[in-house]
Amino acid sequence: MNMPLLILTLQKLLGEADLLLDPDDCRPYCKGARYGEGETLAVLRPDSHEQVVEIVRLCQTYHQALLLQGANTGLVAASTPDASGRFFVLSLERLKKHIAIDVVNRSVEVDAGVSLHELNTALEEHGLFFPIDLAANPSIGGMIAANTGGAKLIKYGDVRQNLLGLRAVLMEPAGEVLDLQHALRKNNTGPDLKHLFVGSSGCYGVITRAVLQVHYLPKLTAAALVVPRDQSAVLELLQVLERDCGEYLSAFEGISGAALQAVLRHVPAIKQPFHPEPCPDYCVLIELSSRSDTQAGSDLNALLSGCLEKLFGTVVENAVLGRATELWRIRHAISEAIRHEGKVIAFDIAMPRSALVDFRAQALALIASHYPWIRVMDFGHWADGGCHFNMVWPSDTEQVLSDSVVQEIRDLIYDLVVLGYQGSFSAEHGIGPYNQAYYQRYTPAIQKHLSGQIQDLLDPQKLLGICHFGH
Amino acid sequence: MNMPLLILTLQKLLGEADLLLDPDDCRPYCKGARYGEGETLAVLRPDSHEQVVEIVRLCQTYHQALLLQGANTGLVAASTPDASGRFFVLSLERLKKHIAIDVVNRSVEVDAGVSLHELNTALEEHGLFFPIDLAANPSIGGMIAANTGGAKLIKYGDVRQNLLGLRAVLMEPAGEVLDLQHALRKNNTGPDLKHLFVGSSGCYGVITRAVLQVHYLPKLTAAALVVPRDQSAVLELLQVLERDCGEYLSAFEGISGAALQAVLRHVPAIKQPFHPEPCPDYCVLIELSSRSDTQAGSDLNALLSGCLEKLFGTVVENAVLGRATELWRIRHAISEAIRHEGKVIAFDIAMPRSALVDFRAQALALIASHYPWIRVMDFGHWADGGCHFNMVWPSDTEQVLSDSVVQEIRDLIYDLVVLGYQGSFSAEHGIGPYNQAYYQRYTPAIQKHLSGQIQDLLDPQKLLGICHFGH
């Protein structure tokens, strides 16, 4: 490859300010928000779709691999270059000129580099929002590539379910544009190719624009932190709430006692919500929300407390109603708080919700028998079957945590989830180098065969992204 | 090909009763529920997934083309054999042994040959249903192959949005089974291949089983037939209702005055709902529904009438509240009633809802200027942008309706929808021989290229189905 000529051509295309070559300038693009660090020789920062087309064409001609990066907030290292240095980072962070809101259609055309917060700021003045509720602030392109779900999936769906259209630049034929920018809720005119790009970790094409369905902002919210009788009562509670508050139910988040205690230990501003009762073994954060404040059913607090009262003494042992923002602070504090306890081994798994009770009991027992010093501090989106079965290797243990032990623990839990409960080893984080081996292990051969064939069609030289979907 | 040997082998596999060879026995499988008729030499009626696998293997070996058929209720002839006689019909109607409901997960595993009514009957005792609201009674496999939407998409989504998993038998490698029978709401472990089979008209593989998300049956319903001030008031009304009754809004169906009048003329049991006022130029059927009958907001009639009252004199000119079943009778009578008026030229189009008013005005003017004798009797799902812009070539006109005139009219309307309003020429009926030419015409070259390449991967000999997605 004639690298100097490629660099020169890219410099002409992007200008010197947006083709980063100095290692110091490149470094921020080589480090994931939470995990992972690698190397790159160049960071490309186009600010237009046309520049992306040209970059893809050039890189195919020169056989130069590209790693796509939005806000680099992902947790599986799919947008962080590896140590090989073989990738140029194609950062979409400057591709954010276009946000066109169609209020009547409840949809928005948005450039891939726009962040979730930026999008929601633009939508807010119309009383609208994009309802994927995440702790991070990813780019829209990254959200599609990972198909993020978040804490409110049960009411609003995931990214895929709110994706009306997109535009993608293909590596093969190089620089061809697949323009599927429909703002349509019904459109069945052959295979719907946009779904290829959802959850494919930036390996099937470069998304430059999306058309999203958006929703009215909630005007009323009610929330409670509830102590269930026991684990099976969590599922009973979910069923009653889905029936009786179903249209309003926007979150149903389980929080283990260990996770709650970690929050109380490390975030002094948060007080034990059930005081003077002791900290419970398990509790559930319930949120109802309504986009209307004018309707007959607007008293969501009365609705929620009415439902809970009926369950008191049977399904529900204790409950505090509170402001949603206050209660969510507890839930959102978990990830950070448990890191104060030691080294976190995080999981992003899902299964049929009917399996959650059995899985949790079995997984807790497994960990207790194999690694009695580990503290499981899990929390989960029970309504969509998602579970962050996170655990802490305590700072004060004498046991040594090596990579191979982490590997053993992952194998143990993933085997149980996937083989034992027909669950998912990556519910909402997608596939990246951190779980590529599990993709190979758990994906049926014919599925890998077909996903790999499609990758061969779209990128025969494997120049795009860091994941391999074939065998 | 050694046809006698293939027949003999299939007879051994299926038994004589389920390999139909007598033309009289085959005839019912050669005629669509509403349109289309063709020829076949054989109808294969497997009752198990394993038989389907064997059939696909055999037919690939013998280069015998297969046309998949569920309940054959589609409207684009995708499941009706053509006149060539080259297809064996692979009927999935007997593949209906398995319906396994997981109440806690709100999901069901169901064989592809089960009909929508059968599925809903099984779900009903658990207070659940599959909420795709259609006039026909298709098979579940057919619903996935067409990605049916229906009248309540705005509340429940389409088939795709409720499809958790599926199992498909592939033509290439012959008889290989892609088993994606997850009952998961969150699962991002690489490209989600099930979406390839949604809306691909039975040409990418044979779906033998699906895993569907199901919903609680509504317990309360309120409905009204509303006369808007004018066309733009329809969109204003929609926006107010989405804000103020949003969680409950389950249908928002526009009905043209001409369609309503046809119903009143031909269905004597239905009375003019606005009497003594004259029949309106346009009206909207609004439905709210709630899965709960115990909540504070349970009085949906009060909620709906409260909303409408505030709009009276500005957005709303007249309204009658009524029982939902009564008002839906009017809506459901349209398709049949307008056929009494002459030859129907039916459309299944969609566009951004913000475009509906302008489109409708322009399309009405176009038809009036080119074909002043045609009576447009349209109705539409405004909330999802869908529009059945149906028109009647009256029985009493002297003008002759030829195939080429139908073609001219289709070209006129589709050009306006697709080129003028970035809309869809097939919103919920999918692709079949009836609109294959429009697929060729309106689909961008690169999209056809890629869809065709995927078809080549999955069926290199073009043995499966009647649609071509390539150039």
Side-chain angles (χ1 to χ4, degrees):
Chain A
M1 186 213 301
N2 188 337
M3 178 69 85
L5 186 57
L6 174 59
I7 295 290
L8 186 69
T9 316
L10 286 170
Q11 252 167 358
K12 276 190 198 146
L13 177 68
L14 297 169
E16 289 195 16
D18 290 303
L19 175 67
L20 312 183
L21 301 171
D22 183 319
D24 285 345
D25 295 338
C26 292
R27 198 153 299 129
Y29 298 84
C30 294
K31 200 170 155 49
R34 196 179 293 172
Y35 313 112
E37 191 159 3
E39 300 289 335
T40 191
L41 293 176
V43 175
L44 287 51
R45 307 195 308 173
D47 73 347
S48 73
H49 166 73
E50 291 70 24
Q51 285 185 343
V52 173
V53 169
E54 205 48 49
I55 288 168
V56 169
R57 275 207 194 111
L58 280 167
C59 288
Q60 208 234 30
T61 304
Y62 286 84
H63 308 291
Q64 172 58 51
L66 284 173
L67 188 75
L68 308 189
Q69 189 174 99
N72 203 9
T73 57
L75 298 178
V76 293
S79 61
T80 311
D82 60 14
S84 73
R86 73 186 179 93
F87 289 106
F88 283 6
V89 171
L90 174 52
S91 166
L92 282 307
E93 66 181 349
R94 294 178 67 239
L95 195 69
K96 53 168 64 179
K97 283 179 198 154
H98 187 79
I99 302 183
I101 301 168
D102 180 343
V103 174
V104 174
N105 199 44
R106 274 203 293 106
S107 66
V108 60
E109 283 179 13
V110 56
D111 277 349
V114 171
S115 78
L116 178 58
H117 289 180
E118 287 164 345
L119 175 60
N120 278 331
T121 301
L123 289 167
E124 194 176 3
E125 64 178 291
H126 303 282
L128 296 166
F129 78 132
F130 187 54
I132 310 299
D133 187 75
L134 304 171
N137 183 26
S139 70
I140 299 303
M143 290 178 75
I144 298 169
N147 189 29
T148 49
K152 301 195 178 167
L153 183 140
I154 199 63
K155 180 161 187 179
Y156 298 106
D158 55 15
V159 169
R160 187 191 297 278
Q161 289 173 314
N162 290 284
L163 183 70
L164 303 178
L166 57 69
R167 183 180 60 192
V169 181
L170 304 181
M171 187 54 87
E172 177 68 38
E176 284 280 341
V177 177
L178 191 63
D179 188 344
L180 309 167
Q181 290 180 81
H182 315 293
L184 303 174
R185 286 176 173 79
K186 274 185 177 156
N187 179 32
N188 284 291
T189 49
D192 193 344
L193 298 182
K194 70 172 177 279
H195 292 285
L196 286 178
F197 302 91
V198 180
S200 55
S201 307
C203 297
Y204 276 2
V206 187
I207 299 164
T208 57
R209 184 170 287 173
V211 187
L212 304 170
Q213 168 171 263
V214 295
H215 295 260
Y216 283 108
L217 276 163
K219 288 195 179 151
L220 291 176
T221 308
L225 205 59
V226 175
V227 181
R229 181 194 66 225
D230 53 24
Q231 283 289 289
S232 68
V234 179
L235 289 175
E236 292 174 53
L237 180 61
L238 173 59
Q239 283 179 279
V240 171
L241 288 170
E242 281 205 334
R243 269 198 305 265
D244 290 352
C245 317
E247 280 86 356
Y248 296 125
L249 185 65
S250 46
F252 188 95
E253 300 275 302
I255 300 173
S256 63
L260 179 56
Q261 282 166 27
V263 169
L264 297 173
R265 269 195 294 274
H266 302 290
V267 189
I270 294 178
K271 301 300 170 201
Q272 209 276 75
F274 299 100
H275 181 81
E277 311 250 337
C279 196
D281 286 342
Y282 203 87
C283 60
V284 181
L285 169 57
I286 295 162
E287 185 193 85
L288 308 186
S289 57
S290 167
R291 68 192 82 169
S292 163
D293 58 1
T294 62
Q295 59 184 255
S298 65
D299 192 350
L300 294 186
N301 279 303
L303 174 59
L304 181 54
S305 56
C307 279
L308 295 175
E309 255 166 44
K310 282 190 295 182
L311 302 172
F312 236 89
T314 56
V315 173
V316 168
E317 275 196 355
N318 201 351
V320 289
L321 268 82
R323 282 176 49 201
T325 45
E326 294 293 314
L327 297 179
W328 277 106
R329 279 182 64 217
I330 300 175
R331 165 66 184 75
H332 288 313
I334 297 173
S335 290
E336 190 57 35
I338 65 176
R339 266 180 260 169
H340 288 94
E341 303 265 319
K343 167 83 181 147
V344 173
I345 307 167
F347 288 86
D348 165 41
I349 56 183
M351 64 200 74
R353 18 197 242 192
S354 40
L356 282 165
V357 172
D358 290 346
F359 161 77
R360 195 167 175 271
Q362 208 177 336
L364 286 170
L366 262 179
I367 294 297
S369 74
H370 288 66
Y371 310 94
W373 53 89
I374 282 184
R375 298 187 201 131
V376 176
M377 298 184 165
D378 62 310
F379 52 101
H381 321 286
W382 285 65
D384 60 46
C387 178
H388 295 292
F389 196 75
N390 291 1
M391 50 189 80
V392 171
W393 189 278
S395 320
D396 53 14
T397 183
E398 288 172 8
Q399 303 287 338
V400 178
L401 179 62
S402 63
D403 285 352
S404 71
V405 171
V406 172
Q407 186 77 34
E408 270 171 35
I409 296 170
R410 292 210 173 276
D411 290 355
L412 198 69
I413 297 297
Y414 287 149
D415 272 0
L416 184 63
V417 172
V418 178
L419 309 178
Y421 291 97
Q422 288 73 54
S424 173
F425 63 92
S426 190
E428 50 186 353
H429 295 172
I431 296 294
Y434 288 2
N435 51 17
Q436 175 81 54
Y438 294 104
Y439 174 84
Q440 298 302 334
R441 175 169 176 168
Y442 295 119
T443 308
I446 182 67
Q447 189 177 340
K448 284 187 283 196
H449 173 71
L450 189 48
S451 299
Q453 282 184 311
I454 295 172
Q455 192 166 14
D456 289 343
L457 286 179
L458 290 166
D459 182 18
Q461 299 180 68
K462 301 288 174 301
L463 296 174
L464 202 55
I466 199 165
C467 301
H468 299 284
F469 297 123
H471 291 284
Chain B
M1 187 212 305
N2 188 337
M3 178 69 84
L5 186 57
L6 174 59
I7 294 292
L8 186 70
T9 316
L10 285 170
Q11 252 169 357
K12 277 190 196 145
L13 177 70
L14 298 169
E16 288 196 18
D18 291 303
L19 175 67
L20 311 183
L21 300 171
D22 183 320
D24 285 345
D25 295 339
C26 292
R27 198 153 301 128
Y29 298 85
C30 293
K31 202 169 151 51
R34 196 180 291 173
Y35 313 112
E37 191 160 3
E39 300 289 336
T40 191
L41 294 175
V43 176
L44 286 52
R45 306 195 309 174
D47 72 347
S48 73
H49 166 73
E50 291 71 24
Q51 285 185 345
V52 173
V53 169
E54 206 47 50
I55 288 168
V56 169
R57 275 206 195 111
L58 280 167
C59 288
Q60 208 234 31
T61 304
Y62 285 84
H63 307 292
Q64 171 59 51
L66 285 173
L67 188 75
L68 308 189
Q69 189 174 99
N72 204 9
T73 57
L75 298 177
V76 292
S79 60
T80 311
D82 60 14
S84 72
R86 74 186 178 93
F87 288 106
F88 283 4
V89 172
L90 174 53
S91 166
L92 283 307
E93 65 180 349
R94 295 177 66 238
L95 194 70
K96 54 166 65 179
K97 283 179 198 153
H98 187 79
I99 303 182
I101 302 168
D102 180 341
V103 173
V104 174
N105 199 44
R106 275 202 293 105
S107 66
V108 60
E109 283 180 14
V110 56
D111 277 349
V114 171
S115 77
L116 179 59
H117 288 181
E118 287 163 344
L119 175 61
N120 278 331
T121 301
L123 290 167
E124 195 177 1
E125 64 178 291
H126 303 282
L128 296 166
F129 79 132
F130 188 54
I132 310 300
D133 188 74
L134 304 170
N137 184 26
S139 70
I140 299 304
M143 290 176 75
I144 297 169
N147 190 27
T148 49
K152 301 192 178 170
L153 183 141
I154 199 64
K155 181 163 186 178
Y156 298 107
D158 56 15
V159 169
R160 187 191 299 276
Q161 289 173 314
N162 289 284
L163 184 70
L164 303 179
L166 58 68
R167 184 181 59 193
V169 181
L170 303 182
M171 187 55 87
E172 177 68 39
E176 284 280 341
V177 177
L178 191 63
D179 188 345
L180 308 167
Q181 290 180 83
H182 315 293
L184 302 174
R185 287 175 172 79
K186 273 184 177 157
N187 179 32
N188 284 292
T189 48
D192 193 345
L193 298 181
K194 69 173 180 279
H195 292 285
L196 286 177
F197 301 91
V198 181
S200 56
S201 306
C203 297
Y204 276 2
V206 187
I207 298 163
T208 57
R209 185 170 286 172
V211 186
L212 304 171
Q213 168 169 262
V214 294
H215 295 259
Y216 283 107
L217 276 163
K219 288 194 179 152
L220 292 174
T221 309
L225 205 60
V226 175
V227 181
R229 182 194 66 226
D230 54 24
Q231 284 288 288
S232 68
V234 179
L235 289 175
E236 292 173 53
L237 180 59
L238 172 60
Q239 285 179 276
V240 172
L241 288 170
E242 282 206 333
R243 268 197 306 264
D244 289 352
C245 317
E247 280 86 356
Y248 296 125
L249 185 66
S250 46
F252 189 95
E253 300 275 303
I255 300 172
S256 63
L260 179 56
Q261 282 166 27
V263 169
L264 297 172
R265 271 196 294 274
H266 302 290
V267 189
I270 294 178
K271 302 299 172 202
Q272 208 277 74
F274 300 99
H275 180 83
E277 309 251 337
C279 197
D281 285 342
Y282 203 86
C283 59
V284 181
L285 169 57
I286 295 161
E287 186 193 83
L288 308 187
S289 57
S290 167
R291 67 193 81 169
S292 164
D293 57 2
T294 62
Q295 59 184 255
S298 65
D299 193 350
L300 294 186
N301 279 303
L303 174 58
L304 182 53
S305 57
C307 279
L308 294 176
E309 254 167 43
K310 282 189 294 182
L311 302 172
F312 237 90
T314 55
V315 172
V316 168
E317 274 197 354
N318 201 352
V320 289
L321 268 80
R323 283 176 46 201
T325 45
E326 294 292 314
L327 296 179
W328 276 107
R329 280 182 63 217
I330 300 174
R331 166 65 184 77
H332 288 313
I334 297 172
S335 291
E336 189 56 36
I338 65 177
R339 266 180 260 169
H340 287 95
E341 304 264 319
K343 167 84 181 144
V344 173
I345 307 168
F347 288 86
D348 164 41
I349 56 182
M351 64 201 74
R353 12 196 251 195
S354 40
L356 282 164
V357 172
D358 290 347
F359 161 77
R360 195 167 175 269
Q362 209 176 337
L364 286 170
L366 263 179
I367 294 296
S369 75
H370 288 68
Y371 311 94
W373 52 90
I374 281 184
R375 297 185 201 133
V376 176
M377 298 184 165
D378 62 311
F379 52 102
H381 320 287
W382 285 66
D384 60 46
C387 177
H388 295 292
F389 196 74
N390 291 359
M391 50 189 80
V392 171
W393 191 277
S395 321
D396 54 13
T397 183
E398 286 170 10
Q399 304 286 337
V400 179
L401 179 60
S402 62
D403 285 353
S404 69
V405 172
V406 172
Q407 185 77 35
E408 270 172 35
I409 296 169
R410 292 210 173 278
D411 290 355
L412 198 67
I413 297 296
Y414 287 149
D415 273 0
L416 185 62
V417 172
V418 178
L419 309 178
Y421 291 97
Q422 288 73 54
S424 173
F425 63 92
S426 189
E428 49 187 353
H429 294 172
I431 296 294
Y434 288 1
N435 51 17
Q436 175 80 55
Y438 294 103
Y439 174 85
Q440 297 303 335
R441 176 168 174 168
Y442 295 119
T443 308
I446 183 67
Q447 189 178 341
K448 285 187 282 194
H449 173 70
L450 189 47
S451 300
Q453 282 184 309
I454 294 171
Q455 192 166 15
D456 289 343
L457 287 180
L458 291 166
D459 182 17
Q461 299 180 67
K462 299 290 171 303
L463 296 174
L464 203 55
I466 199 165
C467 300
H468 300 285
F469 297 123
H471 290 286

